Amino acid sequence: MTHAIDVDNTRNGGVHPDEEPLLVVENLTVSFPTDDGEVRAVRGVSYQVAAGEAMGIVGESGSGKSVSSMAVMGLLPKTARISGSVRFRGQEILGQDEKGYAKLRGKKIAMIFQDPLTSLNPVYSVGFQIAEAVLAHNDISKDKAKARAIELLATVGIPFPEQRVDSYPHELSGGMRQRIVIAIAMANNPDVIIADEPTTALDVTVQAQVLEALEAARAETGAALILITHDLGVIAGHAERICVMYAGKLVETGSTDEVFYRPRMPYTLGLLGSLPRMDQSDKQRLTPIKGAPPSLLNLPPGCPFTPRCPIAEPVCDTEEPALLPVDNAAHAAACHFRSRTSGAEAADLFGPDAKLVSDTSGSTATEVPAS
Amino acid sequence: MPELHGTVKDQPAATPGSAPSARTEREFTAKERTQWQLAARRFRRHRIAAASLVVFILLLLFAFVLPHFWKYTYDVFTDDLNVSPDAKHPFGTDATGYDGLAVVMRGTGQSLKVAFVIASVGTGAGAVWGVVSGYLGGFVDAALMRFADLVLTIPALALAAALAKNFGGTWWIIGLILAGVSAPYVARVVRGVVLSLREREFIEASRALGASNLRIMVRHLLPNTVPVLIVNATLLVAAGILTETALSFVGFGVQSPDTSLGVLITQAQGAFDTRPWLFYFPGVFIILIALTVNFIGDGLRDALDPRQTRERR
Amino acid sequence: MLVFVIRRVLVSIPVLIASTMLTFVLVKFTGDPLLYLKLRNPRPAQVVIDTESHRLWLDRSWPTQYWHWISNVVFHGNWGPPVLGHDDIGSEVLQALLVTGRLVAVSVVIALFLAVITGVVSAVKQYSLVDYSTTTMGFLFLSMPVFWFAILLKQGGIWFNDNVNPHTFFTIGDRTIPAIQGSTFANLKDIFGHLVLPTIVLGLAGYAAWSRFTRASMLEVLNSDYVRLARSKGLKPRTVLIRHALRTALIPLTTVTALDVAALLGGAIVTETVFQWHGMGNLFLTALRTLDFNVMLGWLLVTATLVIMFNLIADLLYGVLDPRIRHA
């Protein structure tokens, strides 16, 4: 059941050189027609996930992170217009019919959703719903499936699994329900588990339990993990690589260490700067990013972060920066001025004593002498 | 998609590095619309409902305006007996010589009047019933709802017939009776809405500010039930028309000399083979009224409470 | 579960009792049963009127009359004397119930079956041609006066009998009179033959309402999180549809159906009148016209009991289908 993949915990990031990427997403674009026009939720996202690795996708609400994963699973509504390419083990999986997707889902790629209170069907027992996942892809007896369900309940840390297996979802707490969803996701040893904001709807104390269950699932199945969240703390503890998403596009990618300690794109800097830190004096104010994410309807040309970016210049209004490498091949940022942000910290850009700002007259950024 | 309201947030004055204010306007690209404007837009998108609204208005004109321009009236008989539809009498005539078109116009008007009484009184009474019951809770709620259940244990037609036998005959009494029969249903629906609203913070806040129960019920709860009420009112109109015709058919509805579409069809039963126009025209008009009102109600439901994902067409 | 059932049954009893009281008051409001006597010309002697009044217990107080009636029915099976004649009201009502019952039962089964199928197809293929045509048809039948349609069908049947094939459609009555001598099968065939047209009428009314409801319920469920999870498990599309979507969407439908059966009794009144069946409809209307109050009371008692019974069944069924209710 468990294949011998070594889960890389050393966080050196990047793709193992001698393994072909398991999942390749190339130039994925998703848009929705609405009353007021076309909403371009995902605008050309590309990433790769290697077998066994844990990749995080970070972004605010509305950045398109959930939509891009639903596109991979084929779970978007029929009104969505999708283009681009998603390849699993070299085979294109985008644009199949429901039957085609059904062969993949649960067996090769599994998904965990955000709201555990509504994810489970209220009229079937928890054990039934897990066994169902197993029976969908394996020709075994119902008893064996139930036994497997009990096993899985134990793996994700549900106490007294033999009794719990016959409970109904409404008899369990939110944290337990989410662990059941994780059990369902891992039931058939998928190659990729996509976890879409698995802890967002839960209390902090319960979050740890759920994340533990997620790690246990990974350990047992050896699956790669795509962890989507807006919580940087969750990402830091559980992902080797990070992609930062903003307004439907990736704006920075790299290993967790690189992105956390050496961020280059101003948005990433701002995100990290807005986190309260244990090692800073608690008299220091947080530096938030002013403003709000742009509307994805009629998005103007240029970099979408421009209205909120302290080092924005006229070129940012007209030309959208591409995701290009900085420092090393594995770390990339989408900013025209990524060279200038080398070594910068959030306070340098967003704080009241910001050193790196652009002149409003449009000339090149200068260093303001510290007063 | 969430509506985006075009409020421009203020820019703090002295912050080096903040973007010039012109850029913030880029962020908000959708028009600001009120809830009712959105609803109106969604209603218009529902093409059948919009078309039905037009047809319904035409029916109103037909029933209440056109009679003033037509040369025959419903209560004066002509010399043409049992004439099938022709240029002079587009809807034919009956055995007494009454012109079919005039009679149908009158019948339509009467049926519409009954339907409006049902909709307004039934919805009104039901709304008050439901709000009081849902908000006050406890014994009052239990008693009022038990009573509603009791009324609902008697088949509507039987109940209406029994009451009409003793009290009824004119269109507005029939309307009131049918309104009374429909009110319990509206009350239950409204009570459901109130129960879900009752625990919300804005009600608690009102109470904390010292608002009386009456004020809360009238100013806060009742307005929030309006979308549900509007939808139910239209459905009641449609159902009311049909029940009124059924009532007339079994002999307990509007009594002559007053008329309604139901009365007309009942009288025309026997004439089906020889003078089918007397049977078809009133029937078609009933169907038209009920159908357009049903479609409008459907459109209103979509407009005021859209829950399903809809393709943009 | 047992507690749930017992509790529900216990709650129904006071409702039934209260219903009988309401029924009694209602019948009292229909008018004076002895009006026919008082309006005769020449007017009968007062002593005749008083004797009739006494025989029918009309000279006591309302509570006394109520108790007299209800205790007789419940404890002695005596439904009271009709105003005119000596028929046994109890057997009359039950006989009528049988006739109407089979009409309503068959109509409900067919209507439900069709409604679920079209509702599901409409929801799954939302906005397709199938969806639009069935929805429009549903709306049409919802907007059509039942008896108008019944008359149309009856006339259609007569025309068919006359011009195409005689004796295909039975348009009068619920069975052939005098009763067919012969096998049970021949009798059944006769009964079913008479059922065809009225069932189409009543069934279409029920179908229209239920298919819309099923469609709406299915649409809501199809967009739910747990259906999405079921799909993400890799279950076959049909399995997702039936085991997850339909199963959950049908729960509110059972409640609606059980409650609507009561309403269908009203629709049956009209349908029976058109096709001249001697069922509940005819019984009530005749009694109302002649102000035969004991018949009306008996009729209303039976229907109220049926309605409350069906409400109870709906509640219980809901508990069976939705575990959340059971444990509440």
Side-chain angles (χ1 to χ4, degrees), chain A residues 63-71 76 111 114 196-197 228 245:
Chain A
S63 55
K65 47 194 203 299
S66 292
V67 174
S68 51
S69 318
M70 302 262 255
L76 288 172
M111 193 152 175
Q114 178 175 339
D196 187 358
E197 309 244 28
I228 304 170
M245 246 181 117

Side-chain angles (χ1 to χ4, degrees), chain C residues 38-292:
Chain C
K38 297 174 188 169
L39 289 178
R40 249 190 221 163
N41 198 359
R43 189 183 156 106
Q46 189 60 32
V47 66
V48 174
I49 298 177
D50 289 341
T51 322
E52 262 303 88
S53 183
H54 189 80
R55 179 181 77 97
L56 296 170
W57 283 65
L58 291 171
D59 52 351
R60 323 296 155 85
S61 69
W62 281 19
T64 322
Q65 291 185 44
Y66 168 77
W67 180 248
H68 170 80
W69 165 62
I70 197 74
S71 55
N72 261 328
V73 174
V74 173
F75 300 126
H76 306 291
N78 177 7
W79 298 63
V83 169
L84 296 165
H86 302 281
D87 301 326
D88 177 12
I89 293 180
S91 64
E92 247 189 76
V93 171
L94 291 174
Q95 184 65 22
L97 190 59
L98 274 175
V99 172
T100 305
R102 60 175 184 256
L103 171 62
V104 171
V106 175
S107 304
V108 166
V109 167
I110 294 182
L112 205 52
F113 184 67
L114 284 176
V116 171
I117 292 184
T118 52
V120 170
V121 170
S122 280
V124 170
K125 294 194 193 300
Q126 201 183 6
Y127 306 129
S128 67
L129 189 63
V130 175
D131 183 20
Y132 277 127
S133 42
T134 47
T135 312
T136 315
M137 236 185 43
F139 264 111
L140 191 62
F141 285 118
L142 264 180
S143 313
M144 211 184 282
V146 173
F147 74 91
W148 193 82
F149 183 61
I151 293 175
L152 265 185
L153 264 193
K154 178 173 165 184
Q155 294 297 130
I158 292 175
W159 178 86
F160 195 87
N161 282 345
D162 288 340
N163 295 307
V164 181
N165 193 9
H167 303 303
T168 330
F169 290 111
F170 296 98
T171 56
I172 308 280
D174 55 281
R175 62 192 328 159
T176 313
I177 295 174
I180 292 183
Q181 310 293 30
S183 64
T184 340
F185 180 71
N187 256 308
L188 268 178
K189 216 175 103 174
D190 182 48
I191 290 179
F192 272 106
H194 281 94
L195 266 176
V196 171
L197 289 178
T199 307
I200 294 179
V201 174
L202 207 55
L204 277 172
Y207 157 80
W210 294 333
S211 74
R212 287 206 68 216
F213 189 84
T214 314
R215 177 181 182 275
S217 189
M218 270 302 275
L219 279 174
E220 209 180 307
V221 168
L222 284 173
N223 286 320
S224 68
D225 281 353
Y226 53 83
V227 166
R228 187 177 57 175
L229 187 84
R231 286 171 72 199
S232 76
K233 280 192 221 179
L235 296 172
K236 289 202 264 289
R238 175 157 301 165
T239 314
V240 174
L241 187 66
I242 297 183
R243 203 189 289 164
H244 287 270
L246 190 58
R247 169 78 167 71
T248 327
L250 281 183
I251 295 180
L253 183 65
T254 52
T255 317
V256 167
T257 311
L259 298 176
D260 274 351
V261 171
L264 273 180
L265 280 173
I269 295 179
V270 166
T271 316
E272 282 176 14
T273 314
V274 172
F275 290 100
Q276 291 166 266
W277 278 37
H278 288 122
M280 296 288 273
N282 188 47
L283 187 65
F284 182 75
L285 291 174
T286 319
L288 188 57
R289 282 188 206 111
T290 56
L291 288 178
D292 202 339

